[in-house]
Amino acid sequence: QVQLQESGGGLVQTGGSLKLSCEASGRTFNTYAVAWFRQAPGKGREFVARITLDTGVKDHSRSVTGRFDISRDNAKNTEYLQMNSVKPEDTALYYCTTQPSALADYDNWGQGTQVTVSS
């Protein structure tokens, strides 16, 4: 089992920046990739970005490409989401999660960190 703890959320103005962190603990050696999802009020959970742990290959959703960047510090077992040029539609609860293999479902989830973008 992997435990995930997100941090770094808060209130930011449109056009500003924010950096989210997610620290993993527990049985992290079975992890193929880590990712960020978000869920806005009244909407379903949406994929934001993913990074593989062995090769560092990144994948970002179309809505955040060019503005957000996922990264990973393997030595610290921590992943990050750098959010730049934020928009009001980025307001959501942001979750980090793990994927045990390339085609598997995401299996461990954090509690989430709230990001609110003011217009």
Side-chain angles (χ1 to χ4, degrees), residues 7-104:
S7 62
L11 177 64
V12 60
Q13 291 187 333
T14 297
S17 297
L18 207 60
K19 187 173 185 177
L20 307 183
S21 299
C22 175
E23 184 174 358
S25 60
R27 301 173 65 84
T28 61
F29 53 86
N30 284 335
T31 301
Y32 167 78
V34 292
W36 288 94
F37 280 71
R38 66 186 182 186
Q39 187 166 18
K43 295 187 177 181
R45 195 169 289 186
E46 174 192 16
F47 169 79
V48 176
R50 186 187 79 161
I51 184 169
T52 59
L53 298 194
D54 54 351
T55 60
V57 173
K58 301 180 182 182
D59 182 26
H60 297 82
S61 70
R62 185 173 300 179
S63 62
V64 307
T65 294
R67 300 187 299 120
F68 293 9
D69 182 49
I70 189 171
S71 62
R72 166 79 175 178
D73 186 332
N74 286 336
K76 295 182 178 179
N77 275 341
T78 300
E79 64 171 322
Y80 305 96
L81 185 68
Q82 177 66 46
M83 306 169 62
N84 299 323
S85 302
V86 296
K87 306 174 181 179
E89 51 263 43
D90 295 321
T91 295
L93 189 60
Y94 283 73
Y95 299 90
C96 62
T97 181
T98 58
Q99 188 181 30
S101 61
L103 299 179

